[in-house]
Amino acid sequence: MNDDVPELDELSAAILRELAAAPGEAGMSLPRLGKHLGLGASVLMRSLSGMSNARIGGVDGPGWVRVTQVEERWNAALTEAGREFCRRRFG
């Protein structure tokens, strides 16, 4: 593996693969993502937070994903940095 591509845990890799496979740039709703992966929203949100640009433990995240809420609907999508990372990581 390329040294400039960070290692990922299995959950993060699975989430990024699902978001990369989503049509267009809109991503997918958290319920749909959870259904595809067999996971609950709280598990997804923890992992997505670590891949966003959120500052956790004094360290900025990589900014690969964006989570938005419109009314009651939560959505996750790759950012441009996330799409580039997925191209390098997954081919």
Side-chain angles (χ1 to χ4, degrees):
M1 176 160 309
N2 192 338
D3 288 336
D4 64 341
V5 179
E7 287 298 317
L8 291 177
D9 61 86
E10 290 181 33
L11 175 57
S12 296
I15 290 171
L16 289 173
R17 278 190 207 97
E18 285 293 328
L19 293 176
E25 295 183 11
M28 65 175 54
S29 71
L30 287 188
R32 182 178 297 256
L33 181 59
K35 185 174 181 180
H36 282 218
L37 297 172
L39 299 169
S42 63
V43 174
L44 292 175
M45 287 298 281
R46 278 193 299 275
S47 188
L48 289 165
S49 293
M51 294 187 288
S52 72
N53 62 357
R55 181 174 273 269
I56 300 173
V59 177
D60 290 332
W64 297 329
V65 298
R66 169 181 75 252
V67 178
T68 56
Q69 181 182 16
V70 176
E71 295 180 11
E72 297 297 315
R73 181 181 171 144
W74 286 90
N75 194 70
L78 291 176
T79 62
E80 183 56 42
R83 286 188 291 277
E84 177 59 30
F85 175 76
C86 287
R87 280 191 289 274
R88 289 186 329 207
R89 177 70 165 89
F90 305 122

